Amino acid sequence: MGLIKKYRNFLVYCFFGFLASLINIGIFDLSHNYFHITLWIANTIAWFISNFFSFFVTKLYVFKSEIENPKKLIKEGFYFLVSRIFSLIFDDVFMIVAVWIFPWNNLIIKAIDQLIVGLFNYFSSKLIFNYQNRHLIERLKNLKEKRKSRNEI
């Protein structure tokens, strides 16, 4: 039980990351294999849709970060997308190179790609949603409010 509690965030992230990967692979498959959209464009479309899903589930369910105000949501969303742009670049390059080099099915390559990208995304998301520092930040806010209320008296 202690092991599950210790790795709860990673396990929950893996679950939602798996769902985001399924969305990514599904959108890629439809775009590239059925609608014959160019590989990197189909991959980028799949990236955008799966990351939109991933932002909200990672924020709300993995790191339990509340939506405090629109300004913070936009700021986190911006940082989230910027960090994910690095994974998009890797994702596009990996897909293009791997599909050209390996005679494998592009969905197998996409699944391998999603595993690698998923690990990078987990660690970058931890930084964005301040999971490690959230309790410290809350204590600092409370301390600041106490000082402010003492000064008003």
Side-chain angles (χ1 to χ4, degrees):
M1 184 69 123
L3 196 60
I4 291 174
K5 189 173 182 178
K6 181 177 180 182
Y7 295 106
R8 177 233 171 253
N9 290 344
F10 184 71
L11 295 172
V12 174
Y13 183 83
C14 286
F15 173 74
F16 285 113
F18 177 74
L19 292 179
S21 291
L22 286 179
I23 291 169
N24 191 301
I25 292 168
I27 299 295
F28 172 78
D29 185 36
L30 284 172
S31 301
H32 183 65
N33 295 328
Y34 291 97
F35 296 126
H36 306 291
I37 296 173
T38 306
L39 185 122
W40 71 270
I41 293 174
N43 196 54
T44 303
I45 291 168
W47 173 88
F48 184 77
I49 293 169
S50 65
N51 274 280
F52 183 78
F53 167 80
S54 187
F55 171 73
F56 287 102
V57 296
T58 301
K59 177 175 179 49
L60 298 173
Y61 300 112
V62 177
F63 297 112
K64 297 181 180 180
S65 176
E66 296 177 12
I67 298 175
E68 294 175 16
N69 59 57
K71 184 179 177 182
K72 183 177 179 186
L73 183 67
I74 291 169
K75 182 180 175 182
E76 285 178 337
F78 174 76
Y79 288 140
F80 186 85
L81 286 178
V82 167
S83 76
R84 296 288 172 105
I85 285 174
F86 293 115
S87 66
L88 171 64
I89 293 167
F90 172 82
D91 193 353
D92 280 343
V93 170
F94 182 86
M95 285 297 295
I96 291 167
V97 171
V99 167
W100 285 344
I101 293 174
F102 298 110
W104 302 338
N105 180 296
N106 59 24
L107 294 179
I108 292 171
I109 293 170
K110 184 68 175 165
I112 294 167
D113 167 71
Q114 287 299 291
L115 286 172
I116 297 167
V117 168
L119 287 172
F120 170 79
N121 289 343
Y122 173 74
F123 292 108
S124 66
S125 295
K126 278 181 79 165
L127 295 173
I128 292 164
F129 296 118
N130 291 322
Y131 179 75
Q132 300 270 352
N133 300 322
R134 184 173 349 137
H135 299 295
L136 180 61
I137 291 169
E138 287 172 7
R139 281 190 235 158
L140 289 172
K141 282 182 184 178
N142 290 338
L143 186 62
K144 200 183 279 188
E145 288 174 12
K146 285 180 185 178
R147 285 184 184 166
K148 187 176 181 180
S149 65
R150 277 190 234 160
N151 291 337
E152 290 176 356
I153 296 176

